Amino acid sequence: MTPDEAIAAMIDALGAGGIPFMLVGSQVTNFYGVARMTQDADFVLQVESGRVLQIVDHLGPPFRLERQMSFELITATTRWCVSLTGTPFSFDLFLLSDDPHDRERFRHRRQVQILGRQVAIPTVEDTIITKLRWSQQGRRPKDIEDVRNVIAVQGGRIDWEYVAAWCQQHGTEGLLEGLRRRAAE
Amino acid sequence: MEPTPELIEEIDRERIRAARAMSGEEKVLLGLQLFQCTCRIIADGIRDEFPDADVRRVQEILRERLAIARRLEDTP
C-alpha cells in the first residue's frame, strides 16, 4: 500500500465511521504551500478513545495501532499512533481537545478535495497559528519551515489580523513577525 | 502536541526497524511514492485555489511551487 492509498483508506474509514474529523499537519501545509515530503499524516477526531480502536481494528492490516496512547501537552489531549506495517509511514490521531484554538480551528474547518475524496482541513490561518504554537512549545524547527513555505505561497490571501490575535494569545507573535519580515525581503 | 519521550523513542525505533528491513530498492521506491503523494496533495491545493485552471496550468503551478521549495531549502 502506497502512502497516498493509506491516507485515502484512513479518510474513508473515518468517514464511514461517521466521525467528525479533519486532516491536519504537514500534509495540509503541502496543500497550502510547497513540497515537504513527510512520512506521516495527522488527523484530529471528535470522538471518544474507544471508537479510535474500533476504526483502526476495522482498517485491519497493514494498519497497526501502537500499544500505547500518549498525552499531548500543548492542548492537553490524547494521541494515538497508527503505523503502516513494513514501511516507516505512520498516522497520528489526536482527539479534539478543549483548547480554545483547537476548538475554533475545528469549527472553522473547510471541506476540500484531497486524493479524490472530500475531506475537512483547517483554514490556512489556523494552520499557521497551530504550527507556530508547536514550533515554540514543541521546539520543532520543521514547523517553522512549514509556516515559511505557506506564507511564501499564500501570503497575500491570509487574514493577518486573525492570525496575529491568536499568536498574541499563544505568545508566538514574535515568531510570526519574524517570518513575515523574512517573506517580505 | 507532544507525546511522551518514551513513545517517541519507541516510534523512532519502530521506524528505524522498518527502514532497516527494507532493501535499498524498496527505500528508493518509498521515496518516489512519498514524492508522488506530496505532488498529488499540492496539485489538489492548486485546484482548490485556482478552480478554473486546466491540467496544464495546474502542472505549471506545481512546477513553480517545487522550484519555490528548492529555493527556500537553500535559504539559510
Side-chain angles (χ1 to χ4, degrees), chain A residues 71-72 90 94 115 134 157, chain B residues 1-2 15 44 48-49:
Chain A
F71 295 101
E72 178 277 297
S90 66
F94 298 97
L115 302 175
W134 279 49
R157 302 180 191 90
Chain B
M1 299 191 175
E2 283 301 287
R15 283 186 169 167
D44 285 333
D48 180 70
E49 199 178 325

Side-chain angles (χ1 to χ4, degrees), chain A residues 125-144:
Chain A
E125 288 84 4
D126 287 323
T127 301
I128 290 172
I129 293 161
T130 305
K131 283 272 173 187
L132 285 174
R133 197 178 185 193
W134 279 49
S135 74
Q136 185 182 60
Q137 297 184 36
R139 294 180 295 279
R140 305 192 323 170
K142 68 177 184 170
D143 289 321
I144 288 282

Side-chain angles (χ1 to χ4, degrees), chain A residues 8-148:
Chain A
M10 182 63 80
I11 292 169
D12 289 346
L14 295 171
I19 294 172
F21 72 96
M22 63 179 177
L23 176 67
V24 297
S26 296
Q27 300 295 350
V28 174
T29 53
N30 279 337
F31 184 88
Y32 286 125
V34 299
R36 181 165 76 75
M37 279 199 284
T38 174
Q39 295 189 17
D40 55 21
D42 303 338
F43 289 86
V44 170
L45 319 178
Q46 188 178 34
V47 70
E48 65 278 7
S49 284
R51 290 282 284 129
V52 176
L53 304 177
Q54 285 174 2
I55 293 286
V56 180
D57 198 41
H58 183 72
L59 274 165
F63 294 87
R64 188 169 65 94
L65 186 70
E66 297 297 330
R67 290 180 299 279
Q68 188 189 355
M69 67 173 188
S70 64
F71 295 101
E72 178 277 297
L73 301 176
I74 296 172
T75 60
T77 192
T78 305
R79 166 189 180 273
W80 296 93
C81 182
V82 177
S83 55
L84 192 63
T85 309
T87 79
F89 198 84
S90 66
F91 295 87
D92 284 332
L93 307 179
F94 298 97
L95 301 191
L96 179 64
S97 73
D98 289 328
D99 175 81
H101 180 253
D102 204 26
R103 289 264 159 192
E104 175 121 326
R105 74 172 176 149
F106 197 75
R107 227 179 2 257
H108 288 170
R109 69 193 188 278
R110 51 187 296 256
Q111 294 289 331
V112 298
Q113 191 84 6
I114 291 183
L115 302 175
R117 279 139 181 92
Q118 278 289 116
V119 58
I121 62 170
T123 65
V124 66
E125 288 84 4
D126 287 323
T127 301
I128 290 172
I129 293 161
T130 305
K131 283 272 173 187
L132 285 174
R133 197 178 185 193
W134 279 49
S135 74
Q136 185 182 60
Q137 297 184 36
R139 294 180 295 279
R140 305 192 323 170
K142 68 177 184 170
D143 289 321
I144 288 282
E145 287 168 30
D146 283 344
V147 175
R148 181 191 63 176

